[in-house]
Amino acid sequence: MRAGLLSLLFPPRCAACGDLLRFEGFGGGEIPALCPGCAKQWASEKLQSCGRCGRPVCECRCLTEELSGAGCAGLCKLVYYINGRQPPVQNRMLYHMKNTADRRLAGFLAAELEAPVRALLREAGAAPEQTVLTFVPRSRQAVLRTGTDQALQLARALSARLGLPLQTAVRRRRNARRSQKTMRKQERRQNARRAYRLCRKTDLHGKTVLLVDDIATTGASMAAVARLLRRAGASSICCAAVASDDRNQSLGLRPPGVVQ
Ligand SMILES: [Zn+2]
Ligand SMILES: [Zn+2]
């Protein structure tokens, strides 16, 4: 009833194209994150195949070189972020997620990630009672500017779905860095390593940690955080992101378990 009233006051829009979602289709259930056209594109983007393992990207666990170097057990992702002029549906969703605290979208993406993440944790031999979930935190300035931390939103939604505790293990240092988007690989790595610190009294001895972020481009940020988690005692680190960069589709990806 309340949800119905809210949707009348703030008609729900597609998280990718922004079109109004039509009421008739809802059938009293949950309001979808995407319009039918974007949902169809999203479904086909998830089936893009990984150039390394040959699986559909949504089932691939290949690590980026950075994540492999940090000793992570595998990286779940749903789609590739596409570099190019015509932004496909997933780029618009990621942009929306970075700029709007949209729980519906975070909930949708967590639901999509649930099965692959469960599979990865199973493969990594993670015992549920010894597994915690954490995220790559966004800078305070970005949170103030946009009103959201997209990785935290996603981690919260995933934590609820998986029934795993969410722990803030790492913080961003103040004034740590400019955006990584324009940096070269080496620069990204150094910058990422300086950007995070462990929260005081973080003890992860014997734990498997599921590390969540929205996008893994080179994986430098996730790898920097993963190293800190290891320092806090984590025995195994599994990674999950909505997207990996399309340059990772064939280049620089290693099957999980192959540590440099
Ligand atoms: Zn749409
Ligand atoms: Zn793969």
Side-chain angles (χ1 to χ4, degrees), residues 58 61 75-78 110-128 131 133 157-164 208 210 238-240:
C58 65
R61 321 254 188 275
L75 168 67
C76 282
K77 56 271 185 195
L78 295 168
E112 294 277 279
L113 274 168
E114 183 179 350
V117 165
R118 281 189 191 279
L120 174 61
L121 290 172
R122 211 166 36 238
E123 285 159 22
T131 306
L133 203 144
L158 253 180
S159 148
R161 286 215 154 246
L162 297 167
L164 295 174
T208 296
L210 175 66
C238 297
C239 303

Side-chain angles (χ1 to χ4, degrees), residues 50 52-55 60-62 77 253:
C50 167
R52 299 286 298 217
C53 69
R55 289 184 188 178
C60 150
R61 321 254 188 275
C62 294
K77 56 271 185 195
L253 275 170

Side-chain angles (χ1 to χ4, degrees), residues 16 18 41 47 58 64-65 102 108 124 134 150 162 171 191-192 194 212 222-223 239 248:
Q41 278 181 46
L47 298 177
C58 65
T64 67
E65 205 180 312
D102 184 342
F108 169 77
T134 195
Q150 72 277 26
L162 297 167
R171 294 212 188 280
N191 191 57
R194 282 194 296 262
V212 177
M222 277 186 133
C239 303
N248 292 331

Side-chain angles (χ1 to χ4, degrees), residues 6-194:
L6 274 175
S7 2
L8 278 177
L9 292 171
F10 304 100
R13 290 179 178 274
C14 170
C17 70
D19 278 1
L20 279 176
L21 294 169
R22 291 171 9 146
F23 273 107
E24 306 82 271
F26 302 159
E30 269 183 49
I31 298 170
L34 301 173
C35 72
C38 291
K40 207 171 151 195
Q41 278 181 46
W42 169 257
S44 89
E45 290 293 337
K46 286 198 301 180
L47 298 177
Q48 287 279 328
S49 64
C50 167
R52 299 286 298 217
C53 69
R55 289 184 188 178
V57 56
C58 65
E59 292 173 17
C60 150
R61 321 254 188 275
C62 294
L63 294 161
T64 67
E65 205 180 312
E66 295 281 349
L67 291 174
S68 180
C72 296
L75 168 67
C76 282
K77 56 271 185 195
L78 295 168
V79 287
Y80 291 112
Y81 180 90
I82 310 289
N83 293 280
R85 283 192 181 184
Q86 276 289 323
V89 65
Q90 64 270 36
N91 293 27
R92 293 195 300 254
M93 287 162 80
L94 287 158
Y95 180 83
H96 181 74
M97 203 175 151
K98 271 188 203 295
N99 291 290
T100 320
D102 184 342
R103 280 202 206 156
R104 189 160 45 103
L105 180 56
F108 169 77
L109 294 169
E112 294 277 279
L113 274 168
E114 183 179 350
V117 165
R118 281 189 191 279
L120 174 61
L121 290 172
R122 211 166 36 238
E123 285 159 22
E129 62 283 3
Q130 288 297 328
T131 306
V132 298
L133 203 144
T134 195
F135 61 100
V136 178
R138 197 175 198 188
S139 74
R140 277 170 65 102
Q141 298 96 302
V143 173
L144 286 173
R145 195 177 64 241
T146 61
T148 191
D149 181 331
Q150 72 277 26
L152 172 59
Q153 289 270 358
L154 183 63
R156 272 197 191 127
L158 253 180
S159 148
R161 286 215 154 246
L162 297 167
L164 295 174
L166 172 62
Q167 190 176 337
T168 303
V170 164
R171 294 212 188 280
R172 259 319 246 270
R173 291 188 195 277
R174 269 173 185 253
N175 308 320
R177 58 181 189 169
R178 56 190 168 94
S179 161
Q180 295 220 119
K181 240 188 271 176
T182 54
M183 292 185 187
R184 286 168 192 276
K185 200 162 125 188
Q186 188 62 24
E187 236 186 326
R188 269 184 190 238
R189 188 178 296 165
Q190 287 172 351
N191 191 57
R193 283 192 186 180
R194 282 194 296 262

